Amino acid sequence: MNNFYDKTKKVIGLSLTGAAVLPMLTSCADEAKKELPMNILYIMCDDHSYQTISAYDTTFIRTPNIDRIAADGVRFTNSFVANSISGPSRACMLTGKHSHANGFTDNSSSFDGGQQTFPKLLQQQGYETAVIGKWHLTSEPTGFDHWDILIGQGDYYNPTFIRNGEKVQRDGYATNVTTDLALEWLSAERNKEKPFCLLLHHKAPHRTWMPDTCDLELFADSNFPLPETFYDNYEGREAAKGQRMSISNDMDLVYDLKLADKDSTIHSRPDLEEWGRRIYNNMNTEQKAAWDAHYDIVIEKFKQAGLSGKELDAWKYQQYMRDYLRVITSVDRNVGRVLDYLEENGLMDNTLIVYTSDQGFYMGEHGWFDKRWMYEESFRTPLLARLPGGKAKGDVVEMVQNIDYAPTFLELAGVEVPEDIHGCSFLPLLKGEEWEPNRDGLYYHYYEYPDEHAVKRHLGVRTATHKLIHYYEDGVWELFDLENDKHELNNIYGHPGTEEITALLKEKLVVLQKQYGEEEFIAQ
Ligand code: SGN
Ligand code: CA
């Protein structure tokens, strides 16, 4: 096999017996140093907002372990997805292509595992590959030497996984269990004679934000400021008026906020209420006892308060944030366990570490939870990266997108990036070098309507200063001046004086649609 790993052995003229010997080799000549296989650890959480990572924002929480990645690496301040929802985002990441080209446009799709993905190309290059945790692409993983995935969204408590084709139910809390599986693979199961690429995908902090029992009392006394746009009236933004993701109207008391009282006096949407109670019943006796000790008191206080209107909205927001942040605390702790493992086993000097999410998430901005929109909070996604020897430190301000991950990993591994990949390797940015992306602006396309949260299909283009969105099924456009309207409250499409910028953005949009082969959506 003529692969990168074999080449490395030849250049160095040594027989590698295990990953542990790799740091020793860094004392060899610079030429050989360049050829060392770099491991890839890609940690992706589901729905983790950049607002709740202290490397980005300290308003809500401290995440010391996730921050460790940025402290010795880089923080991307303009990182975006191509389609802000789980399955599609994952498919973009694996293929380096926009949704229409990889075929996975919305969460009801099934991923065509026969197509080219970066893990497959890494395998051909001699990498040992694994995916552990949330997968969400319906078909079985391909291109992985090892996979141990949650079914669909997976459960927070006592989840069932599919391990290389076999169902295995495991006791415990999903974030801990997923981390245990990753550590087992890293320490005992992988072939240590090969460089590895591990995709560690936590289901947390996806809805319904169920904390680990040990974190239930955290943030109990915290009160978070309501976002400035919490009571947004969506004036000038017709599409936003029809959504169903508002904390006031759509966040369910029993299902989302865990007010499943034993005498069933609190009622909510019947289907959701039933789900809420089912989730509770999946727990074992010990877990239920810890849950009850916490939520029974919350339920009692809630009943006594008799809240309604804005007071109820504010209460829901606090409860949502507390649970979400408890779940993040567990994620951060578990990220720490993995980083500790790398440190203790001499893997920090030859592993690229990436931390990201499958998209951004609303922490009450515009009054919302969930994602999907091309608006900033959900179009953006956190991205922290630590490349050993990388000269870049601090902030990277260039606009990158999740279609760029695949070519970045391929370039790092010494694989020639196939021409049909849409994304552009940002490895130069990690190294502190000049970067010339293959595009002028970012292209976005969201396809899932109608669905649970009723977000209209839309596509658009974003530049460093402006955003143009087209809700093409309704013929509605939105234009935002991002420098002067950071919350995107003022749709200036069609306003006098915007003719030139609108024409420019429409031109850019068409260029991108042609570049990526989605001409059928070019607006007439
Ligand atoms: C589930 C959630 C939705 C969420 C989608 C997509 N409902 O259907 O709130 O938008 O997943 O999320 S739930 O009642 O099942 O929690 S995604 O991140 O997987 O795309
Ligand atoms: Ca998600």
Side-chain angles (χ1 to χ4, degrees):
M1 184 168 55
N2 181 18
N3 62 30
F4 177 67
Y5 183 67
D6 286 344
K7 255 194 290 173
T8 307
K9 278 206 278 194
K10 232 186 284 161
V11 172
I12 298 169
L14 287 171
S15 163
L16 300 182
T17 52
V21 303
L22 291 176
M24 254 170 52
L25 297 174
T26 54
S27 59
C28 296
D30 274 0
E31 268 314 292
K33 204 171 175 182
K34 272 189 216 145
E35 296 262 6
L36 285 178
M38 185 71 77
N39 303 309
I40 298 166
L41 170 63
Y42 176 86
I43 308 175
M44 179 164 68
C45 282
D46 196 7
D47 295 0
H48 192 176
S49 62
Y50 55 86
Q51 301 92 309
T52 55
I53 295 177
S54 47
Y56 281 99
D57 187 339
T58 52
T59 310
F60 300 108
I61 192 172
R62 294 280 165 179
T63 50
N65 290 300
I66 296 171
D67 293 2
R68 276 159 73 184
I69 300 169
D72 200 18
V74 294
R75 172 182 84 150
F76 285 83
T77 56
N78 287 297
S79 151
F80 299 85
V81 293
N83 185 354
S84 179
I85 186 146
S86 169
S89 170
R90 289 156 206 270
C92 290
M93 182 272 285
L94 286 172
T95 60
K97 295 176 185 170
H98 279 281
S99 304
H100 65 281
N102 66 47
F104 203 104
T105 51
D106 66 39
N107 272 343
S108 67
S109 311
S110 179
F111 189 69
D112 169 11
Q115 69 185 297
Q116 169 185 285
T117 62
F118 83 81
K120 283 187 189 174
L121 295 171
L122 289 184
Q123 269 184 328
Q124 287 168 21
Q125 191 75 343
Y127 272 71
E128 174 106 333
T129 61
V131 57
I132 295 175
K134 181 171 172 179
W135 171 245
H136 211 202
L137 290 172
T138 313
S139 57
E140 284 192 347
T142 55
F144 295 97
D145 297 296
H146 176 77
W147 48 280
D148 205 334
I149 57 167
L150 289 160
I151 299 176
Q153 297 286 3
D155 288 323
Y156 273 105
Y157 279 92
N158 313 320
T160 300
F161 288 76
I162 311 179
R163 180 184 176 87
N164 303 320
E166 299 286 321
K167 273 194 187 171
V168 191
Q169 187 268 318
R170 296 186 172 98
D171 293 338
Y173 182 69
T175 311
N176 302 333
V177 175
T178 305
T179 306
D180 291 345
L181 294 174
L183 292 177
E184 264 162 47
W185 184 77
L186 281 172
S187 60
E189 292 166 355
R190 73 188 158 100
N191 176 352
K192 291 189 177 164
E193 302 215 347
K194 292 178 166 190
F196 68 80
C197 171
L198 170 61
L199 310 188
L200 170 51
H201 293 178
H202 288 294
K203 87 159 249 97
H206 191 274
R207 192 182 180 190
T208 55
W209 321 292
M210 293 175 75
D212 191 354
T213 49
C214 62
D215 296 319
L216 282 166
E217 300 307 324
L218 300 176
F219 304 101
D221 301 321
S222 306
N223 268 299
F224 304 102
L226 289 187
E228 272 175 60
T229 59
F230 190 79
Y231 284 113
D232 188 358
N233 61 8
Y234 316 120
E235 199 188 321
R237 287 152 292 145
E238 287 311 305
K241 290 180 182 163
Q243 47 64 41
R244 291 200 300 272
M245 57 168 71
S246 100
I247 291 175
S248 305
N249 304 323
D250 307 300
M251 185 172 276
D252 194 83
L253 286 175
V254 174
Y255 179 64
D256 290 311
L257 301 179
K258 297 112 188 149
L259 301 185
D261 57 335
K262 304 289 177 296
D263 48 1
S264 290
T265 56
I266 301 174
H267 292 293
S268 55
R269 247 180 62 191
D271 52 332
L272 291 183
E273 190 178 326
E274 198 184 311
W275 271 88
R277 292 180 193 280
R278 184 195 71 82
I279 289 171
Y280 173 81
N281 287 329
N282 264 1
M283 295 184 193
N284 65 30
T285 316
E286 206 179 317
Q287 292 160 346
K288 276 181 184 161
W291 200 256
D292 290 345
H294 175 76
Y295 286 107
D296 281 355
I297 296 168
V298 175
I299 290 169
E300 209 33 56
K301 283 191 187 160
F302 177 79
K303 283 183 177 173
Q304 279 167 15
L307 304 171
S308 62
K310 287 197 168 175
E311 275 185 344
L312 177 59
D313 295 340
W315 184 90
K316 288 173 88 174
Y317 176 68
Q318 299 304 334
Q319 194 60 17
Y320 162 51
M321 291 303 295
R322 287 178 192 139
D323 279 344
Y324 187 96
L325 296 172
R326 289 164 181 152
V327 174
I328 296 303
T329 302
S330 161
V331 166
D332 186 65
R333 182 167 55 238
N334 278 287
V335 167
R337 291 175 63 204
V338 178
L339 297 181
D340 289 349
Y341 173 83
L342 297 185
E343 273 173 13
E344 286 156 15
N345 290 278
L347 289 164
M348 288 304 262
D349 292 340
N350 62 343
T351 304
L352 166 69
I353 306 169
V354 173
Y355 186 89
T356 186
S357 173
D358 60 341
Q359 11 67 203
F361 207 71
Y362 292 91
M363 306 276 82
E365 298 89 353
H366 303 288
W368 296 339
F369 63 100
D370 213 65
K371 51 264 177 174
R372 300 163 192 266
W373 301 93
M374 197 187 168
Y375 300 140
E376 292 292 274
E377 292 84 356
S378 44
F379 185 20
R380 286 176 177 272
T381 198
L383 181 63
L384 308 172
R386 181 190 183 279
L387 176 70
K391 298 258 180 331
K393 295 286 170 228
D395 285 355
V396 173
V397 298
E398 282 83 352
M399 292 198 297
V400 299
Q401 207 167 15
N402 59 346
I403 51 168
D404 300 331
Y405 301 175
T408 302
F409 300 151
L410 292 173
E411 192 188 346
L412 180 75
V415 181
E416 196 176 329
V417 178
E419 278 189 4
D420 62 351
I421 283 188
H422 293 161
C424 183
S425 164
F426 56 69
L427 190 63
L429 292 175
L430 300 179
K431 290 182 171 171
E433 296 167 359
E434 287 291 302
W435 188 56
E436 275 186 46
N438 61 355
R439 61 187 172 237
D440 187 14
L442 298 182
Y443 183 60
Y444 180 86
H445 196 161
Y446 168 82
Y447 304 77
E448 193 170 297
Y449 180 85
D451 189 62
E452 219 171 333
H453 298 290
V455 175
K456 295 277 183 160
R457 291 172 200 198
H458 59 286
L459 56 80
V461 60
R462 188 197 194 280
T463 65
T465 58
H466 287 82
K467 188 185 291 179
L468 179 75
I469 308 180
H470 190 203
Y471 299 90
Y472 49 86
E473 292 184 323
D474 301 317
V476 170
W477 293 85
E478 289 176 358
L479 171 65
F480 297 102
D481 173 345
L482 301 172
E483 285 179 321
N484 297 302
D485 176 24
K486 67 175 179 169
H487 295 310
E488 300 163 295
L489 299 175
N490 192 14
N491 172 16
I492 54 173
Y493 185 82
H495 286 199
T498 59
E499 298 80 0
E500 205 177 313
I501 182 71
T502 305
L504 189 77
L505 289 168
K506 285 191 174 173
E507 205 179 292
K508 282 188 196 293
L509 184 57
V510 171
V511 168
L512 290 172
Q513 287 171 316
K514 288 186 178 160
Q515 179 179 340
Y516 299 136
E518 204 173 30
E519 284 96 338
E520 67 269 36
F521 283 92
I522 292 176
Q524 298 310 313

